[in-house]
Amino acid sequence: MCKVIIIGAGAAGMMAAYRAAQCGARVLLLEKNEKAGKKIFITGKGRCNLTNACDRENLFENIVHNAKFLYSAFYHFSNYNVMDFFEQNGCRLKTERGNRVFPLSDHSSDVIGTMERLLKEKQVEIRYHAKVKEILMSDNKVTGVMMKNGGKEAADAVVIATGGLSYPSTGSTGDGYRMAEKSGHTIVETSPSLVPLEIRESYPMRLQGLSLKNVRACLYSGQRLLYEGFGEMLFTHFGVSGPLILSASSYLDKKAENSNCFLTLDLKPALTMEQLDQRILRDFGGNQNKQFKNAIGGLFPARLVPVMIELSGIHPDKMINKITKEERKKFVSLIKGWKLEIIGTRGYTEAIVTRGGVHVKEVNPATMESKKAKGLYFAGEVMDLDGLTGGFNLQIAWSTGYLAGESAAAAVRKRQDVPS
């Protein structure tokens, strides 16, 4: 009989399988796709931002939902442990801006390859095209799994590491939620997270492909500030994207999305309103006999100039020496608080992670074992856990997978040691 079954060969599942086998368990890893790590392969635009080299305080600060639940997992297998793990197993790493950690090769396949080699060394059995239908239980205790083809696999412990709903082409189709719910678990309502935003205004379409660095963005639901951040953004044919916008989207729940939600962009965050006004006054002073459209090129990228002129309400041909103080003040306010109305997100097909999932109050944070079903464990995105961009979501996967695998193996070993 196989002792520990892991469902899902993504980051959390592979790490759980490795750690369970390392702790002496016999492990079967079931993956419905034709290969392991399909989502890892596309993360970080194919480079795999596998963790973040920040300090522990910043690590928790970058977890959006249920950071306290992760204390045990992060302390047990931290971001530094993850970096050591891959380095010691032949996958050399590098750290880039924002403490983002990537494989030195810039190939996500190296991360997947490292995990596959380690699983083989630990004699983990991997079955592909193996779709699990449900968790088998008796007296609220796991006994194995039922496969879609009707076959059964017996086990003393099962780890659900099926991911969420983001990037469904990689196999993330909510299977774990259905299994967990049927096993008695509450599923917190899911929504796309770390996802580009659709904007009502037409300006983004005209600016498609333009990237702005060092921008401050604020996300509001009515008068309520949901998020404030600084970084890089990108205009697209449908709205806005880029790291700053993806992070903002993590705070956009369905309730907020339906209640006058908007972004404000500060294009000159290093300057106060007064300092920016003085800067513009100096620019205007040296261009008194120029038209407005020819005097503000130093403030913005060339493609942004026509849009800002249009939004300012100042006629592009108006001479600088004819612009009133009120017009100039309005222009300053525009630069410091450009407002864009949000009408939706790009959905799960473009979301990096899923918000919501298995309610963490029904999972033991010290072991990742279910409080509802003995011998059932959870790892990764299937739980109501998500972080910002920068490697934090993969860190959640590695840490919870490691702890779930170790805990499952320990539980199986303990049962074996108990006389029948």
Side-chain angles (χ1 to χ4, degrees):
M1 182 183 74
C2 180
K3 299 300 182 182
V4 177
I5 287 178
I6 315 290
I7 308 172
M14 285 194 286
M15 185 58 81
Y18 168 79
R19 183 57 177 162
Q22 187 183 42
C23 291
R26 184 182 172 195
V27 180
L28 171 61
L29 177 56
L30 300 172
E31 170 55 53
K32 70 176 184 179
N33 288 317
E34 75 284 1
K35 59 184 177 181
K38 288 189 76 171
K39 191 172 179 183
I40 296 176
F41 188 74
I42 63 173
T43 58
K45 297 179 180 177
R47 297 174 62 217
C48 189
N49 178 192
L50 59 94
T51 189
N52 193 286
C54 65
D55 60 32
R56 189 167 289 160
E57 183 179 347
N58 282 320
L59 183 64
F60 286 108
E61 286 177 354
N62 280 276
I63 304 304
V64 180
H65 297 106
N66 298 312
K68 289 182 179 179
F69 175 83
L70 289 164
Y71 281 3
S72 291
F74 280 177
Y75 277 89
H76 195 68
F77 194 59
S78 72
N79 48 337
Y80 291 101
N81 294 140
V82 168
M83 289 185 278
D84 289 343
F85 173 85
F86 281 100
E87 287 272 8
Q88 291 170 10
N89 286 292
C91 182
R92 295 186 63 194
L93 306 176
K94 61 180 177 179
T95 303
E96 298 186 358
R97 182 169 56 91
N99 288 316
R100 288 167 162 82
V101 178
F102 296 88
L104 185 63
S105 65
D106 280 332
H107 296 307
S108 56
S109 55
D110 284 358
V111 175
I112 301 167
T114 298
M115 292 305 303
E116 288 180 321
R117 175 173 52 79
L118 291 172
L119 293 175
K120 186 176 181 180
E121 288 176 4
K122 294 298 178 185
Q123 298 182 315
V124 172
E125 181 185 354
I126 307 178
R127 291 186 199 166
Y128 297 110
H129 302 289
K131 187 169 183 178
V132 176
K133 183 179 179 181
E134 64 179 288
I135 308 298
L136 298 176
M137 297 200 308
S138 176
D139 298 324
N140 291 322
K141 180 181 175 183
V142 164
T143 59
V145 299
M146 169 79 77
M147 306 303 294
K148 187 180 179 182
N149 63 11
K152 295 181 181 180
E153 291 288 344
D156 288 330
V158 172
V159 181
I160 297 179
T162 51
L165 290 163
S166 57
Y167 293 135
S169 61
T170 64
S172 298
T173 53
D175 300 341
Y177 303 142
R178 291 186 285 273
M179 293 178 212
E181 199 165 27
K182 199 167 183 180
S183 302
H185 285 269
T186 304
I187 306 300
V188 176
E189 185 178 14
T190 61
S191 59
S193 191
L194 295 183
V195 62
L197 301 177
E198 295 181 342
I199 300 299
R200 185 176 301 282
E201 292 83 359
S202 62
Y203 308 115
M205 187 176 295
R206 292 163 54 186
L207 298 169
Q208 181 179 350
L210 175 64
S211 177
L212 298 179
K213 296 182 179 180
N214 305 322
V215 174
R216 183 171 298 281
C218 292
L219 174 67
Y220 290 90
S221 174
Q223 297 299 311
R224 184 164 58 101
L225 177 64
L226 302 178
Y227 170 82
E228 181 178 359
F230 176 85
E232 184 176 350
M233 62 168 291
L234 173 72
F235 291 100
T236 69
H237 67 283
F238 54 79
V240 287
S241 187
L244 178 61
I245 302 302
L246 297 183
S247 292
S249 76
S250 295
Y251 296 85
L252 181 66
D253 58 25
K254 290 187 177 181
K255 183 179 179 181
E257 195 176 333
N258 296 323
S259 60
N260 184 28
C261 208
F262 60 91
L263 281 170
T264 61
L265 304 177
D266 182 351
L267 304 181
K268 298 292 178 182
L271 302 177
T272 65
M273 296 277 281
E274 292 74 20
Q275 289 170 334
L276 179 58
D277 189 35
Q278 289 300 312
R279 156 80 189 274
I280 291 173
L281 269 174
R282 288 195 299 272
D283 289 354
F284 282 6
N287 294 284
Q288 286 289 315
N289 298 315
K290 284 187 177 182
Q291 295 173 317
F292 181 56
K293 65 184 179 184
N294 297 322
I296 61 170
L299 285 169
F300 316 107
R303 289 182 60 196
L304 187 55
V305 171
V307 171
M308 298 307 289
I309 289 174
E310 184 178 332
L311 290 169
S312 74
I314 302 172
H315 195 283
D317 296 332
K318 190 168 187 175
M319 301 301 291
I320 289 297
N321 56 20
K322 298 295 184 182
I323 293 176
T324 67
K325 180 180 179 180
E326 290 70 24
E327 287 176 320
R328 192 186 75 244
K329 293 287 188 181
K330 181 183 175 184
F331 188 46
V332 169
S333 295
L334 168 66
I335 296 169
K336 295 291 289 181
W338 181 9
K339 185 176 178 179
L340 296 170
E341 185 181 351
I342 298 168
I343 57 174
T345 74
R346 296 297 284 176
Y348 290 113
T349 56
E350 294 185 36
I352 295 175
V353 296
T354 305
R355 177 179 179 175
V358 175
H359 204 309
V360 295
K361 288 185 177 179
E362 299 173 357
V363 180
N364 183 342
T367 61
M368 296 297 134
E369 185 176 20
S370 163
K371 294 178 181 179
K372 300 275 189 174
K374 193 168 182 60
L376 180 61
Y377 298 79
F378 296 97
E381 192 181 345
V382 71
M383 290 182 284
D384 183 21
L385 301 166
D386 60 283
L388 299 180
T389 57
F392 300 103
N393 289 288
L394 268 177
Q395 181 61 46
I396 291 172
W398 304 128
S399 292
T400 57
Y402 189 93
L403 184 54
E406 180 177 300
S407 301
V412 168
R413 188 168 61 250
K414 186 177 180 181
R415 282 194 287 274
Q416 286 177 334
D417 292 339
V418 175
S420 57

